[in-house]
């Protein structure tokens, strides 16, 4: 009798599906987990569809603007794919899924990233399904677009730290965008949906052979070689590597994965991404037509035609692009560009550009912007429009409290009268000691390797600022109240991979267990609450001693001991030796001062001077 395992009727929903395709579908890593859907959920879905149809009716009746018109009026659209009428009708008829992708090639977003994201914010508050894609996998390759030289390859630990930093920053930005939208009447409704995903979620378990079989035949070398990026890098630059040449293929597959699994049919990017967007559209059309599984082809057909548009690049007055590669990035991380400096940068916006930036970077109604600019022109010296622009943008990036503080600081430092009212709400979370995305401390810090490798869990939580003392750290660990960056598959005592954010509960482990969670041997991620995160760079003891940094619970004489050890080494450079000698003298002077103070306190307590012995 045949084995019961041969009868897999449940895997083959239609008789015309061959066994090979059914087996591939059942074993696909992207297979969606089935779950029960209740009647209340179905009622909400039906109600959302009804609301969308009513909105489309009002748009066609001229009672509301189309989404494309709203974005164009704010200067957020440069180039669209396909026919404009069809493009506009698709955005009106259907609640489309849209995504913006960002590669974590630096530790922070910069102001240039904000333009395509503003389009997505606008679509989110108008009810579309938005997905923020963090390119943990594609960052390992690096986008060669508009580059003549190959990107320098960062160490794996740096890539992981960048990915973790940017993940936290995107969470903060989306939280602020929702709060900022509420101030202008955009109150979140049930159909609104946003996601933050990392493409390592599929690339880490995707066989390259599957990509080549499904997408490879549709990627023609002639069209890929004809792209300006490829031709310029081959003729004027240092050549195009196979990895860089494969970048559009990876980006196209990212879109296909979200298109098929999430219904994401639109991509937004900077104007330099137009070639990648059109390549992705061609790839999706090819796969939708030629995929070996007819079920997948049917599902793709239901999503509809892929489409995309680009936002203009933010450039300087000379036309130079803002960004890390150009060396002039305005960072959105408060440690790299403070809210005060960010406010000051946009306060210096020229009168010619202030109206354009108010439309691009704020949710202010166009009528209010026109009125503000008209008032500004009556007395440009007050820079009224620039103050509003700076405050609105800092609120979007860093929250209302930081926007208010930055405005007040500028008014005090530069003695300028404020013509716009600052926000009056108090930051209750800060006073209550609640850690939020906008008030959390800097997540990045360094700790010496000997400390991380040999000390208890409680002391490490204390040193990282996640506990108020070592005993508090031990209590947190015993109660499993903290988390460590761990594997997404829930295996115990393994480090987090370098392409996704995942957490495992901490117990009161010994040093040998914690060492197993070091990512690439020199990175440790810890978390106490949802937003209280530490990205710990584990550095050699000598490097930490020379840095001059300290951590809570650090032994007073540890640095002096390390410096003495380094002073006797012959292989260190002359500059390092001079630095060691200088720091050693400072440490010895500080220790002598502490000893003298202790002797003074002791003599005051005894009522008579105390003489130090000759041996001391």
């Amino acid at each position: 009798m045949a084995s019961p395992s041969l009868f897999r009727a449940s895997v083959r929903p239609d008789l015309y599906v061959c066994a090979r395709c059914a087996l591939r579908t059942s074993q696909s890593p992207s297979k969606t987990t089935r779950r029960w859907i209740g009647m209340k959920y179905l009622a909400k879905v039906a109600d959302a569809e009804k609301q969308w149809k009513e909105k489309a009716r009002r748009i066609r009746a001229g009672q509301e603007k189309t989404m494309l018109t709203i974005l164009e009026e704010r200067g957020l659209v440069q180039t669209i794919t396909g026919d404009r009428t069809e493009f506009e009708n698709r955005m009106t008829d259907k609640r489309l899924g849209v995504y913006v992708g960002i590669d974590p090639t630096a530790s922070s977003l910069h102001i240039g990233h904000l333009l395509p994201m503003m389009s997505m914010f606008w679509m989110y508050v108008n009810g579309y399904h938005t997905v923020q894609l963090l390119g943990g996998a594609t960052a390992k390759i690096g986008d060669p677009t508009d580059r003549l030289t190959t990107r320098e390859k960062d160490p794996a630990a740096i890539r992981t730290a960048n990915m973790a930093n940017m993940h936290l920053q995107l969470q903060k930005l989306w939280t602020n965008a929702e709060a900022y939208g509420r101030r202008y009447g955009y109150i979140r409704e049930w159909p609104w949906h946003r996601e933050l995903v990392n493409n390592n979620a599929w690339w880490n378990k995707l066989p390259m052979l599957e990509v080549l079989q499904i997408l490879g035949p549709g990627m023609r070398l002639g069209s890929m070689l004809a792209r300006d990026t490829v031709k310029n890098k081959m003729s004027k630059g240092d050549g195009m590597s196979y990895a860089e040449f494969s970048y559009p293929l990876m980006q196209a597959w990212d879109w296909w994965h979200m298109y098929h699994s999430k219904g994401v049919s639109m991509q937004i990017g900077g104007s330099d991404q137009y070639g990648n967007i059109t390549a992705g559209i061609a790839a999706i059309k090819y796969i939708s037509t030629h995929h070996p599984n007819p079920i997948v082809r049917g599902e793709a057909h239901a999503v509809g035609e892929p489409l995309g548009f680009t936002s203009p690049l933010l450039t300087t007055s000379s036309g130079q692009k803002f960004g890390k590669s150009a060396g002039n990035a305005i960072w959105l991380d408060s440690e790299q560009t403070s809210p005060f400096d960010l406010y000051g940068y946009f306060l210096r916006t020229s009168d010619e550009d202030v109206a354009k930036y108010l439309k691009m970077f704020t949710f202010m109604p166009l009528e209010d912007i026109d009125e503000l600019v008209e008032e500004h022109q009556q007395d440009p010296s007050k820079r009224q429009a620039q103050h509003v622009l700076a405050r609105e943008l800092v609120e979007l990036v860093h929250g209302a409290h930081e926007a208010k503080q930055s405005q007040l600081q500028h008014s005090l430092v530069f003695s300028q009268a404020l013509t716009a009212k600052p926000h009056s709400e108090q930051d209750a979370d800060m006073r209550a000691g609640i850690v939020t995305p906008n008030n959390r401390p800097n997540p990045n810090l360094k700790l010496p390797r000997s400390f991380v490798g040999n000390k208890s869990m409680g002391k490490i939580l204390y040193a990282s600022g996640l506990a108020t003392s070592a005993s508090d750290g031990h209590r947190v660990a015993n109660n499993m109240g903290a988390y460590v960056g761990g594997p997404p598959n829930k295996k115990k005592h393994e480090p987090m991979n370098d392409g996704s954010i995942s957490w495992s509960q901490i117990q009161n482990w010994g040093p040998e267990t914690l060492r197993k969670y070091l990512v690439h041997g020199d990175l440790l991620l810890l978390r106490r609450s949802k937003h209280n995160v530490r990205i710990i760079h584990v550095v050699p003891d000598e490097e930490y001693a020379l840095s001059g940094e300290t951590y809570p619970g650090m032994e007073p004489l540890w640095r002096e001991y390390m410096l003495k050890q380094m002073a006797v080494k012959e292989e260190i450079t002359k500059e390092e030796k001079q630095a060691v000698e200088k720091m050693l003298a400072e440490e010895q002077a500080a220790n002598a001062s502490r000893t003298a103070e202790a002797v003074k306190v002791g003599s005051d307590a005894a009522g008579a001077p105390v003489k130090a012995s000759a041996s001391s």
Side-chain angles (χ1 to χ4, degrees):
M1 181 178 177
S3 169
S5 64
L6 295 177
F7 299 97
R8 298 187 180 275
S10 62
V11 187
R12 301 179 61 185
D14 298 298
L15 292 178
Y16 59 82
V17 181
C18 69
R20 184 177 182 182
C21 290
L23 180 62
R24 180 180 298 170
T25 302
S26 66
Q27 295 179 340
S28 173
S30 61
K31 183 183 178 183
T32 304
T33 303
R34 295 178 182 272
R35 63 182 180 88
W36 293 105
I37 298 178
M39 295 303 295
K40 290 184 178 179
Y41 176 83
L42 293 176
K44 287 182 178 180
V45 171
D47 187 54
E49 287 298 316
K50 183 179 178 181
Q51 291 178 7
W52 192 265
K53 288 180 180 179
E54 174 59 23
K55 181 177 181 178
R57 185 197 65 77
R58 292 196 302 270
I59 290 175
R60 290 197 175 88
Q63 299 171 350
E64 290 186 18
K65 296 178 181 178
T66 67
M67 189 71 249
L68 183 59
T69 300
I70 292 173
L71 297 176
E72 287 177 332
E73 287 180 344
R74 305 195 78 95
L76 294 173
V77 178
Q78 178 159 323
T79 308
I80 65 172
T81 60
D83 178 73
R84 189 189 187 283
T85 302
E86 293 180 5
F87 195 102
E88 195 168 37
N89 289 337
R90 282 286 310 284
M91 294 185 76
T92 301
D93 293 337
K94 193 170 182 181
R95 195 189 299 269
L96 301 178
V98 55
Y99 91 95
V100 172
I102 297 175
D103 284 350
T105 54
S107 61
S108 170
L109 299 165
H110 55 74
I111 197 67
H113 288 124
L114 198 55
L115 268 183
M117 291 188 67
M118 285 303 302
S119 296
M120 194 160 62
F121 292 157
W122 273 107
M123 293 186 70
Y124 173 70
V125 299
N126 279 277
Y128 292 86
H129 173 198
T130 56
V131 179
Q132 182 70 67
L133 175 66
L134 189 59
T138 42
K140 299 173 185 177
I141 305 300
D143 187 357
T145 303
D146 288 347
R147 292 182 63 92
L148 296 180
T149 58
T150 302
R151 294 178 183 269
E152 293 185 9
K153 197 172 183 64
D154 291 323
I158 297 297
R159 289 201 307 268
T160 304
N162 289 345
M163 181 270 302
N165 272 303
M166 204 168 281
H167 183 100
L168 297 172
Q169 198 173 43
L170 287 168
Q171 286 181 327
K172 170 184 173 180
L173 198 56
W174 271 104
T175 300
N176 290 339
E178 276 200 354
Y180 180 63
R182 286 195 294 271
R183 187 156 72 84
Y184 285 100
Y186 297 103
I187 310 301
R188 189 180 186 279
E189 300 176 2
W190 181 83
W192 297 11
H193 184 58
R194 62 179 173 88
E195 295 182 69
L196 172 57
V197 298
N198 192 312
N199 60 10
N200 259 298
W202 50 88
W203 279 108
N204 280 354
K205 54 187 178 182
L206 178 68
M208 193 60 187
L209 181 60
E210 181 178 344
V211 178
L212 294 176
Q213 285 179 321
I214 295 177
L215 176 57
M219 302 294 284
R220 314 309 297 177
L221 280 177
S223 58
M224 295 177 72
L225 288 169
R227 296 180 63 181
D228 289 339
T229 293
V230 177
K231 291 192 294 186
N232 290 337
K233 201 162 188 300
M234 292 179 67
S235 61
K236 303 175 185 178
D238 58 1
M240 176 71 71
S241 69
Y242 179 77
E244 293 173 313
F245 193 67
S246 302
Y247 185 91
L249 184 145
M250 293 184 68
Q251 188 168 341
W253 188 272
D254 286 342
W255 192 358
W256 159 252
H257 176 86
M258 293 183 290
Y259 176 88
H260 175 240
S261 64
K262 301 178 183 296
V264 175
S265 59
M266 177 180 285
Q267 181 183 171
I268 305 174
S271 62
D272 59 344
Q273 292 295 309
Y274 185 76
N276 287 334
I277 291 175
T278 54
I281 290 175
I284 289 175
K285 289 182 177 179
Y286 175 82
I287 298 175
S288 301
T289 306
H290 296 85
H291 198 282
N293 190 334
I295 298 177
V296 174
R297 295 199 299 268
E299 292 172 344
H301 179 73
V303 175
E305 290 284 319
L307 62 161
F309 69 88
T310 61
S311 298
L313 289 179
L314 189 66
T315 58
T316 64
S317 56
S318 62
Q320 187 182 22
K321 171 185 171 182
F322 277 97
K324 186 187 74 164
S325 302
N328 59 356
I330 307 299
W331 303 106
L332 303 188
D333 182 82
S334 59
E335 296 295 323
Q336 300 183 56
T337 300
S338 68
F340 179 85
D341 291 335
L342 184 63
Y343 188 102
Y345 177 81
F346 282 93
L347 186 59
R348 296 189 294 272
T349 302
S350 67
D351 290 343
E352 292 77 16
D353 290 334
V354 67
K356 178 179 72 173
Y357 287 176
L358 281 165
K359 293 176 183 178
M360 285 180 165
F361 292 116
T362 77
F363 280 173
M364 290 180 63
L366 296 178
E367 299 79 12
D368 293 354
I369 293 175
D370 293 338
E371 183 179 345
L372 174 64
V373 172
E374 185 176 343
E375 293 177 5
H376 165 79
Q377 290 174 347
Q378 295 175 6
D379 189 356
S381 63
K382 292 183 178 180
R383 305 192 73 74
Q384 181 178 355
Q386 282 86 346
H387 271 291
V388 174
L389 168 65
R391 189 188 68 239
E392 297 276 319
L393 194 136
V394 173
E395 180 177 348
L396 176 64
V397 176
H398 296 297
H401 177 78
E402 289 294 341
K404 174 184 175 182
Q405 293 300 312
S406 298
Q407 185 179 27
L408 291 175
Q409 289 168 9
H410 271 273
S411 69
L412 294 173
V413 171
F414 301 106
S415 300
Q416 292 177 347
L418 297 180
T419 56
K421 279 189 175 181
H423 301 295
S424 59
E425 64 268 17
Q426 297 293 321
D427 195 338
D429 289 333
M430 292 186 69
R431 291 186 281 107
I434 300 173
V435 179
T436 69
N438 291 313
N439 69 13
R440 63 185 171 207
N442 179 21
N444 292 280
L445 71 152
K446 295 179 182 178
L447 287 177
R449 184 173 296 280
S450 63
F451 178 82
V452 175
N454 297 292
K455 296 300 181 181
S456 64
M457 195 71 248
K459 289 185 177 180
I460 291 175
L461 289 173
Y462 176 43
S464 62
L466 295 176
T468 56
S469 64
S471 58
D472 179 46
H474 289 304
R475 186 177 67 255
V476 170
N478 285 328
N479 294 332
M480 301 173 67
Y483 301 83
V484 63
N489 54 11
K490 304 302 181 185
K491 291 182 179 178
K492 291 185 177 180
H493 310 327
E494 289 185 9
M496 185 190 77
N497 64 51
D498 63 352
S500 63
I501 293 285
S502 49
W503 302 98
S504 301
Q505 279 188 313
I506 285 176
Q507 301 178 35
N508 207 355
W509 297 316
E512 66 284 348
T513 301
L514 185 64
R515 285 198 295 266
K516 296 178 182 178
Y517 283 93
L518 288 176
V519 182
H520 305 296
D522 54 6
L523 191 71
L524 182 67
L525 281 84
L526 299 176
R527 176 168 69 88
R528 174 75 185 270
S529 61
K530 181 178 180 180
H531 302 296
N532 201 2
V533 179
R534 297 294 183 276
I535 302 170
I536 302 172
H537 300 261
V538 182
V539 300
D541 292 4
E542 294 83 358
E543 180 181 337
Y544 194 85
L546 284 174
S547 70
E549 298 181 22
T550 60
Y551 56 84
M554 180 174 167
E555 297 177 7
L557 298 178
W558 178 83
R559 188 187 308 280
E560 183 179 349
Y561 169 76
M562 287 303 307
L563 293 172
K564 286 181 178 179
Q565 293 291 104
M566 294 180 67
V568 299
K569 287 185 177 181
E570 297 181 357
E571 61 269 20
I572 64 176
T573 65
K574 180 180 178 181
E575 291 77 11
E576 288 177 329
K577 196 171 186 66
Q578 291 174 348
V580 167
E581 291 172 351
K582 180 181 178 182
M583 295 185 69
L584 189 56
E586 293 173 352
E587 284 289 321
Q588 291 173 343
N591 290 334
S593 176
R594 284 192 293 267
T595 302
E597 183 66 23
V599 170
K600 182 178 183 299
V601 172
S603 65
D604 291 343
V610 178
K611 293 184 178 180
S613 64
S615 61
S616 64

